[in-house]
Amino acid sequence: MSDEILKTTPLNAAHRALGARMVGFGGYDMPVQYEGVLAEHKWTREHAGLFDVSHMGQAKITGKDAIEQFERFVPGDYKILKDHKQKYSLLLNDQGGIMDDLMAGKPDHNGLYVVVNAGNKDADFAHLRANLQGDAKLEVLEDRALLAIQGPEAIDVMVQHEPALAELSFMDITWLNVFGVNCYISRSGYTGEDGFEISVPAADAERVWNLLLSDERVKPIGLGARDSLRLEAGLPLHGHDLDATVSPVEADLTFALSKSRKEAANFPGAERILKELAEGPSRKRVNLLVKEGAPAREGAEIADKDGNIIGVVTSGGPSPSTGNKIAIGFVPPAFTEIGTELKVVVRGRPAAAEVVASPFVPTRYYRKPKA
């Protein structure tokens, strides 16, 4: 038993009223499921799932030096980011390890809007606040909740409330009056499906939540299905697949390293990261299809076909969309080629596995056709 006192989101009472099974996650009392993980997973893939992600950290970095200062902590080029766009990036330590992964964008003309992971947000914000220089200021948005609506019918639901949202493309973000309140709204997602993230004033969260759930195409979805959905999408989870020892090269997240920043070598841990880019890392993240036996969960060992232990599973479980068992893990680069035969050791028993491409299930993000 833990004596930890869990924080609550503004939607805690709403979850309990829906009969959610609650668990501790990231220091918060959160819904892990409502009617069941499998049903919720499939509903999101087929219709529209509504998630409470208010436990995540929301902040603004403002001031004329905001973007220049933010770039001191991440390897992305935010100076060239266009207005109403957001970009995935990594908060790096001086050793090139991933302290957190995050989204940062320009929804308005007032600096950057940043969203970080729940379990890291206090440390992230303390790190930023202590090291920002010039007139850059960190404003933690404590009075806002965050919802995510995901799935093929999410767009149809959202345009009923604001037709202009149809114009947003993948990784767009804006500041807009919707549901009668000012919202930060982005179009991305952590499920592989098209969808939106909606930041609303905490006082309006339950009203907006219930309004969206009044649509028969929308059901509440817990953290259990959120995890299986992101796993199928091949997306890493910080604290499991990413941590402060893992570099962007090891994590196969080199797309987050902007060309100009690599050339300037002016981001935390650049020496290690550039060396790994040139010479290769000692380990690398891979996707595995587990061909037999029980699912390979976090902590299961990975072996080569001769039985030699070469790595570890960092996330794993059943794939409801495919009926397969899937996993993410780290192995030496020599074993990362698609089709490589490996083994996972589950409860002391080796089971056949194969390195496969990412994602496990095709993503369906919406990208506006180019004119």
Side-chain angles (χ1 to χ4, degrees):
M1 296 291 289
S2 173
D3 294 329
E4 180 185 13
I5 298 175
L6 297 173
K7 301 175 186 177
T8 58
T9 76
L11 293 168
N12 189 268
H15 299 315
R16 293 183 177 279
L18 290 167
R21 178 185 162 203
M22 308 295 287
V23 299
F25 181 83
Y28 281 79
D29 188 35
M30 296 295 292
V32 68
Q33 65 180 54
Y34 299 87
E35 62 177 302
V37 173
L38 180 61
E40 292 167 30
H41 180 112
K42 290 187 173 181
W43 185 270
T44 305
R45 288 275 184 249
E46 296 169 2
H47 303 287
L50 185 63
F51 303 78
D52 176 15
V53 288
S54 304
H55 57 315
M56 299 183 75
Q58 302 179 68
K60 289 293 292 288
I61 301 177
T62 59
K64 63 180 177 60
D65 298 326
I67 292 172
E68 179 182 340
Q69 284 295 305
F70 182 66
E71 285 190 351
R72 294 175 50 232
F73 305 93
V74 300
D77 188 345
Y78 279 85
K79 291 188 182 73
I80 64 171
L81 186 67
K82 295 179 180 178
D83 288 345
H84 305 297
K85 290 287 185 181
Q86 66 176 1
K87 185 186 293 187
Y88 174 86
S89 199
L90 306 165
L91 190 65
L92 299 175
N93 60 29
D94 290 339
Q95 294 74 45
I98 300 171
M99 297 170 62
D100 205 357
D101 59 342
L102 55 84
M103 286 283 194
K106 298 179 178 178
D108 49 32
H109 300 291
N110 185 24
L112 290 169
Y113 169 72
V114 182
V115 178
V116 301
N117 285 299
N120 302 327
K121 67 180 180 181
D122 291 342
D124 291 352
F125 292 154
H127 179 66
L128 290 169
R129 187 175 281 116
N131 292 286
L132 286 170
Q133 299 173 3
D135 74 342
K137 296 290 187 293
L138 178 75
E139 177 191 356
V140 179
L141 304 178
E142 300 277 12
D143 60 344
R144 299 192 74 83
L146 190 61
L147 314 182
I149 183 168
Q150 299 279 295
E153 294 181 342
I155 179 60
D156 300 322
V157 173
M158 291 297 288
V159 295
Q160 285 195 326
H161 300 282
E162 176 48 70
L165 293 174
E167 296 302 310
L168 266 62
S169 189
F170 180 59
M171 298 300 271
D172 282 356
I173 185 168
T174 191
W175 173 248
L176 198 62
N177 190 286
V178 189
F179 311 110
V181 292
N182 287 326
C183 303
Y184 294 107
I185 298 187
S186 58
R187 192 170 189 175
S188 56
Y190 194 52
T191 62
E193 297 291 337
D194 181 27
F196 298 84
E197 297 75 40
I198 313 156
S199 171
V200 302
D204 294 281
E206 190 166 343
R207 177 180 62 83
V208 174
W209 171 266
N210 289 330
L211 180 61
L212 288 168
L213 286 180
S214 69
D215 192 308
E216 64 181 9
R217 294 168 291 192
V218 184
K219 286 188 176 183
I221 311 297
L223 292 176
R226 183 172 172 83
D227 192 56
S228 58
L229 288 159
R230 71 91 191 171
L231 182 59
E232 287 186 344
L235 299 173
L237 176 61
H238 199 279
H240 299 265
D241 313 298
L242 310 175
D243 61 38
T245 71
V246 177
S247 78
V249 183
E250 292 176 327
D252 199 25
L253 296 174
T254 53
F255 70 88
L257 308 175
S258 296
K259 181 180 178 182
S260 64
R261 304 297 306 283
K262 288 187 288 185
E263 291 173 347
N266 62 348
F267 54 89
E271 182 178 358
R272 170 192 175 183
I273 290 168
L274 295 175
K275 182 178 180 181
E276 288 181 350
L277 285 171
E279 301 175 8
S282 61
R283 57 180 176 173
K284 199 164 184 182
R285 179 167 65 97
V286 291
N287 282 2
L288 297 174
L289 175 65
V290 180
K291 295 181 173 182
E292 59 187 9
R297 306 283 185 178
E298 180 178 0
E301 293 178 318
I302 302 172
D304 64 18
K305 61 183 180 181
D306 296 321
N308 302 303
I309 301 302
I310 58 169
V312 65
V313 169
T314 51
S315 289
S319 165
S321 301
T322 66
N324 296 321
K325 297 177 287 290
I326 59 178
I328 292 173
F330 284 79
V331 296
F335 298 92
T336 59
E337 186 175 344
I338 303 300
T340 300
E341 295 181 4
L342 298 174
K343 295 179 181 179
V344 290
V345 183
V346 180
R347 302 191 192 104
R349 296 181 180 180
E354 179 183 340
V355 176
V356 295
S358 184
F360 295 100
V361 173
T363 56
R364 296 192 283 190
Y365 306 125
Y366 173 75
R367 292 176 171 86
K368 193 181 301 182
K370 293 184 179 180

